Amino acid sequence: MTYTNARDIAASAGNPRQVFLNYPLGNPAGRPHDPENQRSVLRAGLKLLEDAERPGIIVDLPYTWSDSGEWMEKFMTDEQPFISEDAEVRRQDLLEKAREQKSGQLRK
Amino acid sequence: MDYIRYIEKTHEYYRGLGYDKTYNYACNTDIPFVPLKKPLSECRVALVTTSSFLLLDEGGLPLEEPRMLGTNEMEVFTAPSDWPADRILSTSEDHDRYQTDMNDVNAYFPITRMQEFLKEGVFGGLSRNYYRTLPNYSHRKTTEVDGPEILRQCREDNVDVALLTPV
């Protein structure tokens, strides 16, 4: 049973059972510091786990992050780049290392 | 319903940064499925996440080195299912940092909520350990190395159900 904040990625990955929570990335199990919301989100997944009779169902949860959808518009814009420049450099370094390791393994 | 198309957005974003290769998102059409074979209240349940965090000792110092992105080595890390939420420190860089933070571990690794459900009898039991693996650019590694290792350890621990929280 998968809890996701990214509906399109989850649909493409095609897990057996998924619930989609339309919150910003990082909160698949509910709103931070809101135990009741977290419990409701988890419960929705458990219900799907019990009820599903076929694979690939995605249940869209009714909870919204804020009254305005502005957070969705600003995601990955110049104003709100996805990750910091430092983090992007670290990510690319590690990615490069992983590629080197992979090509090293292929040569063996 | 309105929601962010992350696949399109990330492709555009990284092309804009000058990367010519775009990430190939996992795409599976053959989806496995096993119906639940007994009541949830009799099931042993595990948590599996790709969120990155460190376990802390009682003095609040990290018990492990930070890890960020997967390599080709097997990378499955455990966290005891009775670990206290206040001794987990997020090292995630994959969340929307303008909208949210990772200070509440239960928003992505619901370790306290799972303990509550156990006490309330929602589950029959919790697995000995929960599982962490890293977000990885290699589908092969996830499906052929890390995934099977998590499955192996879950089977060894008689786990019936796995709840996944990808981050």
Side-chain angles (χ1 to χ4, degrees):
Chain A
M1 196 8 261
T2 303
Y3 296 88
T4 182
N5 294 140
R7 199 184 196 287
D8 59 336
I9 298 174
S12 174
N15 298 311
R17 304 167 176 87
Q18 313 197 79
V19 295
F20 168 56
L21 177 61
N22 195 13
Y23 284 177
L25 294 183
N27 306 137
R31 185 179 288 273
H33 314 292
D34 186 345
E36 274 317 304
N37 172 270
Q38 294 165 4
R39 289 170 62 87
S40 305
V41 169
L42 291 176
R43 288 245 185 218
L46 300 179
K47 186 170 185 328
L48 177 62
L49 183 65
E50 288 176 310
D51 294 350
E53 290 174 352
R54 61 177 174 84
I57 296 172
I58 302 179
V59 171
D60 297 309
L61 298 185
Y63 311 107
T64 51
W65 183 248
S66 62
D67 291 341
S68 142
E70 203 181 321
W71 68 272
M72 289 187 264
E73 285 157 29
K74 287 195 169 170
F75 180 77
M76 271 191 165
T77 55
D78 288 346
E79 192 184 337
Q80 297 192 353
F82 180 44
I83 49 181
S84 66
E85 279 182 32
D86 290 359
E88 184 61 40
V89 169
R90 284 197 293 280
R91 175 185 298 255
Q92 292 300 329
D93 279 353
L94 285 164
L95 184 55
E96 193 50 41
K97 274 188 200 137
R99 283 188 184 130
E100 278 169 22
Q101 197 193 7
K102 193 174 178 180
S103 62
Q105 281 175 353
L106 290 176
R107 278 197 297 271
K108 269 180 219 164
Chain B
M1 185 189 41
D2 196 19
Y3 58 90
I4 299 177
R5 270 66 175 172
Y6 287 98
I7 296 177
E8 264 173 60
K9 276 251 177 174
T10 51
H11 283 173
E12 271 169 36
Y13 179 78
Y14 281 98
R15 267 198 297 268
L17 290 178
Y19 298 107
D20 48 359
K21 267 191 175 171
T22 50
Y23 178 66
N24 209 1
Y25 284 89
C27 181
N28 298 302
T29 47
D30 188 14
I31 308 173
F33 185 79
V34 182
L36 199 62
K37 288 181 181 138
K38 53 185 174 184
L40 197 54
S41 58
E42 292 172 20
C43 289
R44 192 166 165 85
V45 183
L47 258 186
V48 180
T49 190
T50 56
S51 56
S52 313
F53 56 77
L54 304 177
L55 301 182
L56 306 176
D57 68 15
E58 287 177 4
L61 295 172
L63 289 167
E64 49 197 350
E65 292 291 312
R67 305 176 186 95
M68 270 189 54
L69 181 74
T71 66
N72 288 311
E73 305 297 326
M74 200 264 292
E75 289 166 308
V76 172
F77 314 102
T78 56
S81 55
D82 58 356
W83 196 262
D86 60 2
R87 281 172 51 202
I88 290 178
L89 176 68
S90 172
T91 53
S92 166
E93 295 187 301
D94 293 304
H95 60 285
D96 184 343
R97 65 203 160 99
Y98 295 92
Q99 289 298 328
T100 189
D101 60 43
M102 301 295 266
N103 294 336
D104 180 8
V105 67
N106 280 293
Y108 52 91
F109 188 66
I111 196 162
T112 313
R113 303 288 87 82
M114 296 285 281
Q115 289 288 345
E116 291 168 3
F117 283 170
L118 176 69
K119 283 194 193 104
E120 292 161 19
V122 176
F123 305 137
L126 297 177
S127 58
R128 190 169 54 237
N129 288 316
Y130 292 158
Y131 299 93
R132 300 177 275 163
T133 189
L134 297 174
N136 200 292
Y137 288 105
S138 164
H139 301 170
R140 188 203 60 82
K141 194 196 158 228
T142 303
T143 53
E144 294 179 18
V145 183
D146 295 335
E149 175 59 18
I150 293 173
L151 181 63
R152 187 190 69 75
Q153 292 193 38
C154 282
R155 283 186 172 149
E156 204 174 84
D157 193 23
N158 297 311
V159 167
D160 301 296
V161 166
L163 305 182
L164 278 60
T165 55
V167 167

